[in-house]
Amino acid sequence: MAKRVHLQCLGLYAILLHFSSGDKVVSINTPLGENVTLHCNTSGMYITKNKWSKDGIQVFLYSPVLEDNKYKTNFTSERMSVDPSTLVLHISDVQVSDVGIYTCEVTGSQAQRTETWNLTITSVSPDPSQLIYISTAAISGTILIIICSILCIYSSKFSNLYKPAIREAEDVLTEVFFSATQQGTIRSEAPLDV
């Protein structure tokens, strides 16, 4: 449930980002465990700054004016990397934690470009711990259905076996009630539930 809410919030974030920036948001649906490569368009630009973000949080920054190798990284997983020569973001073995909104901002001497991707996973298999609960519920439900079926079969056989005796008892009670109302022991305005 929490994952679904998180994914819905990310979708709303992508829509808001799309309308606020005027940029196109590209949806990428990938199976769990696949590799994803996001290419930021840097053609024809002398790059003064390149910034990659995930869900609004900076994960990579390149700038020639930065000290210490001109790169700063804050990757959200060890499976994420940026190729320094092409500034392409790679995510290997995509997991649920990688789902999100990825943004590339490139600043050049005369222009700035922003590109946005909404990364989702096409199918998510349940956790092994969830499989235990699902199988336990399925087994319990099956056992309950079998027990109810057995009880229904025996109760129908039981009622058929004793139907004549039950009808005879109903007839006796009706006769007693009828004779009691005629004798005035029971008033007719107070019906007796049999």
Side-chain angles (χ1 to χ4, degrees), residues 103-122:
T103 306
C104 173
E105 295 176 33
V106 180
T107 306
S109 54
Q110 298 178 346
Q112 181 174 353
R113 291 184 190 144
T114 303
E115 296 180 57
T116 305
W117 296 265
N118 181 13
L119 178 64
T120 57
I121 294 176
T122 54

Side-chain angles (χ1 to χ4, degrees), residues 48-102:
T48 57
K49 184 172 130 184
N50 174 248
K51 177 176 142 183
W52 281 96
S53 302
K54 178 186 182 243
D55 298 329
I57 298 168
Q58 178 181 301
V59 294
F60 175 84
L61 178 66
Y62 160 79
S63 178
V65 296
L66 286 175
E67 298 175 7
D68 302 330
N69 298 331
K70 302 178 184 178
Y71 300 101
K72 285 186 180 178
T73 59
N74 185 27
F75 295 124
T76 56
S77 79
E78 68 279 352
R79 295 172 286 99
M80 189 182 293
S81 65
V82 173
D83 183 347
S85 61
T86 61
L87 301 174
V88 172
L89 177 69
H90 299 283
I91 307 170
S92 59
D93 188 26
V94 171
Q95 299 299 310
V96 174
S97 60
D98 298 317
V99 168
I101 307 299
Y102 290 83

